[in-house]
Amino acid sequence: MKPINDTFLRALRREKTEYTPVWLMRQAGRYLPEYRKVRERMGSFMALARNPEAACEVTLQPVERFGLDAAILFSDILTVPDAMGLGLSFVAGEGPVFARPVQSEEAVRSLYVPDPNTELRYVMDAVREIRRALADRVPLIGFSGSPFTLACYMIEGGSSKDFYATKRMMYERPDLLHRILDVNARAVTDYLNAQIEAGVQAVQIFDTWGGALAHGKYQEFSLKYVSQIVSGLKKTSDGESVPVIVFTKGGGIWIEDIARCGADCIGLDWTVSLGTARQSVADRVSLQGNMDPMALFAGEAAIRAEARRVIDDFGAVGSGGHVFNLGHGIAQKTEPEMVAALVDEVHAYSRIKH
């Protein structure tokens, strides 16, 4: 069923909109006091993510507080490798940690594609619960990590600054890394298709660490597998198209390559000019982004000015679609009042521009 407010979906499809829609990566998170209360009640991040009712509650919190134009499923990109049996936990001060990292040939060979409706059924239950609670007010976005981004965590065993083990495997045993990426691509395709069947109305692929690759390696080890996923996704649900967003942090130099992967929209970080990017892709895809999340610490006047600058940078709407977002996720110490000012300015100023 079409959402009452479908501005976000129309922008993704490069259709005419009355204003620029806005949602924010990591919009449901620790910067919100109401989220922190639910997290404390549930005891841990994964306990929250695995509880469909709690996941629904925190998914709706920012939509109801700020009047955003889309909700995004509350979950984590690492649910997929966790479903492969790698033993995910979140350690205070360290972030995600896998008990069984994939660092040997035997570990690589034992990887498998999990059934999203079995091992990840709690995610699908959350999608259905959120759709019921949203009552078609705004669209629901589903998501997954990209094969390469997931591989970085799986091989390193957690977060990393230099991806030593991953890049060593890439150069010494590219066959092993390609094996991991192939399994991940098939797993993500199944996972996103299951989310679409459960009710999400758009999907985003987070290629968070693709930008850490060298030119050529990005195309071989990241974009190739993202393209494989996009080509395997369900294109429609309930008679409506399901747009696909691809976000590669640090990937602005490859925007023309990304635009050919089959996605409907490219997410951009703050290092890229929206206007220049738009010229590069000639409005063949819509663009999402791209305000620096740190601007949200600068005070209301600066936030409103930066929001206007981003909208002006994209330029006249015409046939091209723009979805306002940050260039990455909201920082934990962001004040909710500053997010409210940002959303208000995007809606008010873009109505004048449109």
Side-chain angles (χ1 to χ4, degrees):
M1 186 173 177
K2 183 182 291 187
I4 297 168
N5 175 4
D6 67 344
T7 311
F8 165 72
L9 294 175
R10 284 188 283 129
L12 290 180
R13 298 166 183 149
R14 305 185 307 284
E15 297 172 1
K16 182 176 175 57
T17 60
E18 295 74 33
Y19 62 91
T20 300
V22 53
W23 71 279
L24 305 171
M25 288 184 277
R26 213 180 289 147
Q27 64 189 26
R30 290 176 291 178
Y31 75 104
L32 287 175
E34 55 265 45
Y35 168 86
R36 294 195 297 270
K37 288 180 181 178
V38 179
R39 168 77 179 265
E40 183 178 358
R41 185 178 81 226
M42 297 305 299
S44 71
F45 174 87
M46 286 308 294
L48 196 169
R50 290 189 174 115
N51 184 294
E53 291 76 20
C56 174
E57 182 178 354
V58 296
T59 296
L60 268 62
Q61 286 172 347
V63 175
E64 293 171 346
R65 181 188 267 251
F66 303 120
L68 295 156
D69 295 291
I72 183 166
L73 163 70
F74 181 83
S75 187
D76 192 87
I77 63 171
L78 299 182
T79 54
V80 170
D82 182 48
M84 295 177 181
L86 302 188
L88 174 65
S89 62
F90 286 82
V91 179
E94 291 186 43
V97 175
F98 282 113
R100 292 171 288 281
V102 183
Q103 297 178 343
S104 67
E105 187 158 350
E106 180 182 4
V108 173
R109 299 298 175 194
S110 66
L111 288 175
Y112 65 95
V113 176
D115 182 344
N117 289 305
T118 303
E119 288 95 337
L120 291 163
R121 180 173 176 175
Y122 64 91
V123 177
M124 309 313 147
D125 288 343
V127 170
R128 286 184 280 266
E129 184 73 20
I130 296 163
R131 280 297 307 273
R132 282 194 293 270
L134 276 174
D136 292 310
R137 285 175 283 168
V138 295
L140 176 61
I141 306 166
F143 72 92
S144 178
S146 72
F148 179 75
T149 292
L150 297 181
C152 286
Y153 289 100
M154 293 162 67
I155 297 167
E156 304 292 336
S159 301
S160 175
K161 293 183 179 179
D162 56 13
F163 309 105
Y164 166 80
T166 306
K167 289 193 172 183
R168 180 174 179 177
M169 182 184 290
M170 180 177 69
Y171 287 110
E172 285 188 347
R173 291 293 306 273
D175 59 311
L176 292 184
L177 183 53
H178 278 301
R179 161 72 179 170
I180 296 171
L181 295 171
D182 177 68
V183 174
N184 286 355
R186 289 185 283 123
V188 169
T189 303
D190 288 354
Y191 182 50
L192 290 178
N193 278 333
Q195 290 184 37
I196 292 169
E197 290 174 356
V200 303
Q201 292 143 299
V203 295
Q204 175 159 312
I205 299 170
F206 283 87
D207 187 27
T208 310
W209 302 127
L213 289 166
H215 182 71
K217 299 299 184 185
Y218 169 73
Q219 286 78 359
E220 179 181 356
F221 290 95
S222 184
L223 187 58
K224 170 185 173 181
Y225 293 96
V226 169
S227 301
Q228 179 179 320
I229 293 166
V230 174
S231 67
L233 291 180
K234 297 179 182 296
K235 302 298 187 281
T236 61
S237 178
D238 292 331
E240 297 287 329
S241 66
V242 181
V244 180
I245 308 163
V246 171
F247 172 67
T248 298
K249 185 171 180 285
I253 57 173
W254 302 307
I255 186 169
E256 293 183 32
D257 290 339
I258 300 171
R260 290 190 288 268
C261 79
D264 301 277
C265 179
I266 301 174
L268 297 170
D269 67 21
W270 60 88
T271 64
V272 181
S273 161
L274 281 177
T276 302
R278 187 179 180 188
Q279 289 179 344
S280 297
V281 301
D283 282 338
R284 295 191 306 275
V285 295
S286 55
L287 299 176
Q288 178 176 278
N290 64 340
M291 196 174 96
D292 184 347
M294 295 301 105
L296 288 169
F297 293 97
E300 183 173 339
I303 290 167
R304 289 180 181 275
E306 187 63 12
R308 293 192 296 269
R309 186 200 64 78
V310 171
I311 292 168
D312 288 341
D313 188 21
F314 181 81
V317 177
S319 61
H322 178 210
V323 173
F324 195 102
N325 208 314
L326 302 176
H328 201 227
I330 297 177
Q332 178 182 349
K333 294 182 180 180
T334 303
E335 295 180 6
E337 294 74 18
M338 298 301 101
V339 176
L342 172 64
V343 175
D344 176 71
E345 188 64 31
V346 171
H347 283 159
Y349 185 69
S350 66
R351 285 186 187 277
I352 299 170
K353 297 287 289 187
H354 285 247

